[in-house]
Amino acid sequence: MSTTGEQRQSPIQNDEEFRERLRELPPSAKLVAKVLEADEPLSQGQLAEESLLPDRTVRYALNRLDEADLVDSRYSFRDARKQVYFLDH
């Protein structure tokens, strides 16, 4: 029991909230999220390759996912010049 009065959400509630926020996004963002769900973390180039979307569309989708706090990124362990993306839920 938390002494700060915060209630922790169950993973199911977090997943439902994740899906609800995702539902409001464009199809390209949904596709990128689905690709990340199946195989993460991925670079922007890998996402473009896996989703068959143009780089520009993947960039737009990642921006929309980031604005909705559904995706996060970090620098790649293999190549520190690149960022890799993963779902944040």
Side-chain angles (χ1 to χ4, degrees):
M1 181 173 221
S2 176
T3 58
T4 61
E6 292 178 24
Q7 293 182 350
R8 296 188 69 188
Q9 291 183 330
S10 72
I12 293 172
Q13 287 173 322
N14 287 338
D15 192 47
E16 288 174 12
E17 179 184 337
F18 177 86
R19 291 193 180 281
E20 189 61 36
R21 285 188 282 159
L22 186 61
R23 189 171 285 124
E24 299 172 9
L25 297 178
S28 60
K30 292 174 186 169
L31 177 57
V32 167
K34 193 67 174 171
V35 170
L36 284 173
E37 187 177 61
D39 187 22
E40 63 180 25
L42 294 173
S43 69
Q44 183 177 323
Q46 290 170 317
L47 281 166
E49 189 175 307
E50 292 293 320
S51 66
L52 303 177
L53 293 172
D55 288 336
R56 182 176 174 179
T57 304
V58 170
R59 210 168 26 253
Y60 171 76
L62 287 169
N63 285 334
R64 295 299 305 268
L65 288 165
D66 186 43
E67 289 168 3
D69 292 327
L70 298 176
V71 73
D72 207 352
S73 66
R74 63 169 167 75
Y75 286 101
S76 171
F77 295 130
R78 293 184 181 170
D79 185 348
R81 297 170 294 174
K82 294 183 180 181
Q83 286 195 333
V84 291
Y85 299 88
F86 52 94
L87 295 178
D88 186 20
H89 66 104

